[in-house]
Amino acid sequence: MIGAAWNLLLGGAWVVLTGDFSGLNLLAGLVFGYLVLALIQPQVPALSDYAQRLPRLLAFIGFFLKELVMANLKVAFDIVTPPWYMKPGVIAMPLQARSEFEIALVANLISLTPGTLSLDVSDDRRVLYIHAMFLDDEEALRRDLAELERRALELFH
C-alpha cells in the first residue's frame, strides 16, 4: 500500500512539474513513478515486492477476462439452443482464503462469473457454498474455482 501511495505522489509530482494536467500525462507520470519505485525497491524495505504486483495483477485480469468470456459463451449457447444442457446444483468448496477481505473477494469473483453464484460461507469460514448452473463434472468445477481462488490470493501474498 505504501508503494501505491508513493506511485500516486510521484505521478502527481510529474503532472505538476510538467504543467500538463491531462489524463495521458498523469498516466505517463504513474508509469515513470512505477519504474523509479521498481529501481529503488531493493534498497527500501517498505517497497518489498511492489514491482512484482503489477505484472501479477495484469496476468490475473487477463485470466479472469478469459474465464468471463468463456462462461458467457457457455451460458449464451445454452440459452440459444433448444435442448438445455444445464444441470444446476450446489457444491461446497474448501477455501484457502482466511481473512474476511479474501473470502469476500473470492466469493464476489465467483458470483461475477455467469453460471455460478456464491451462496454462503460456513461458520468456521473454511467452506464456500456455490450454486452452479452446469454441474456436469463436479471435480472439474472445483478445480476451476480453486484456480480462480489461487490466482486471486496471489495478488496479495
Side-chain angles (χ1 to χ4, degrees):
M1 194 58 133
I2 292 173
W6 276 106
N7 200 357
L8 285 173
L9 285 172
L10 289 172
W14 173 265
V15 167
V16 170
L17 290 172
T18 59
D20 181 7
F21 294 93
S22 67
L24 193 57
N25 193 40
L26 176 62
L27 181 64
L30 291 174
V31 169
F32 291 142
Y34 176 81
L35 293 174
V36 166
L37 292 173
L39 288 173
I40 67 168
Q41 175 183 319
Q43 287 81 27
V44 181
L47 295 175
S48 69
D49 200 34
Y50 177 71
Q52 290 75 23
R53 288 184 187 169
L54 183 63
R56 282 193 307 236
L57 178 64
L58 294 176
F60 177 76
I61 289 171
F63 165 78
F64 187 69
L65 286 176
K66 179 188 73 86
E67 292 294 317
L68 197 60
V69 168
M70 296 304 291
N72 274 300
L73 290 174
K74 188 173 185 178
V75 170
F77 177 78
D78 194 51
I79 291 170
V80 173
T81 56
W84 287 353
Y85 299 104
M86 71 173 115
K87 293 181 181 163
V90 176
I91 64 167
M93 183 183 99
L95 286 171
Q96 299 301 316
R98 292 294 170 237
S99 73
E100 287 186 18
F101 174 77
E102 291 173 342
I103 293 170
L105 176 69
V106 170
N108 284 315
L109 287 171
I110 289 171
S111 292
L112 280 172
T113 309
T116 55
L117 177 68
S118 301
L119 298 174
D120 195 13
V121 179
S122 65
D123 291 336
D124 63 356
R125 296 182 180 161
R126 298 207 183 271
V127 177
L128 179 64
Y129 297 99
I130 301 165
H131 179 274
M133 188 173 167
F134 301 98
L135 200 57
D136 302 331
D137 187 359
E138 188 175 331
E139 286 307 312
L141 179 63
R142 282 181 203 272
R143 277 193 309 274
D144 292 344
L145 294 174
E147 178 67 12
L148 175 67
E149 178 187 27
R150 183 188 66 77
R151 287 179 179 243
L153 294 178
E154 274 182 1
L155 295 174
F156 304 103
H157 299 286

